[in-house]
Amino acid sequence: LISKLIEHNATIIICLDEDAIKDSFEIYEQLSSLDLDVYFVDLKGFGDISYHYEQNGAQAVTELLKKRKKIDFFYKFSRILN
């Protein structure tokens, strides 16, 4: 899978459950280290992305994905502490 992501110069959005925040950061760092274009969506307060879809529909998930961002040290540090 990683070789295909690199081959196609993919843009990747990490959108794991709130309780997997540390895993999200690890995946983000690993993929970023391969010079891939990686973004993160913070699901704090939204729960599971599939549950959010079931409750609010595709448009709500699209709006959530538009809030993607790059992770910097300060953001990562603040999320780990909270």
Side-chain angles (χ1 to χ4, degrees):
L1 175 63
I2 291 179
S3 64
K4 290 290 185 185
L5 293 171
I6 294 169
E7 177 184 337
H8 295 286
N9 197 26
T11 297
I12 302 152
I13 301 174
I14 308 294
C15 191
L16 299 181
D17 297 352
E18 183 179 355
D19 61 346
I21 191 78
K22 289 182 182 178
D23 293 335
S24 297
F25 291 153
E26 287 177 23
I27 294 168
Y28 182 95
E29 293 297 328
Q30 289 174 351
L31 295 173
S32 292
S33 73
L34 299 171
D35 289 329
L36 291 168
D37 191 19
V38 185
Y39 294 90
F40 171 76
V41 174
D42 192 344
L43 292 178
K44 186 174 184 177
F46 291 99
D48 181 282
I49 190 73
S50 62
Y51 180 77
H52 188 64
Y53 172 78
E54 290 170 4
Q55 296 299 309
N56 304 294
Q59 185 61 35
V61 171
T62 300
E63 291 303 315
L64 190 59
L65 293 175
K66 287 180 182 178
K67 296 178 182 180
R68 68 188 182 267
K69 60 184 128 199
K70 298 286 187 176
I71 296 175
D72 62 18
F73 171 80
F74 297 106
Y75 178 78
K76 183 178 175 181
F77 187 71
S78 70
R79 284 294 281 126
I80 290 173
L81 290 178
N82 292 322

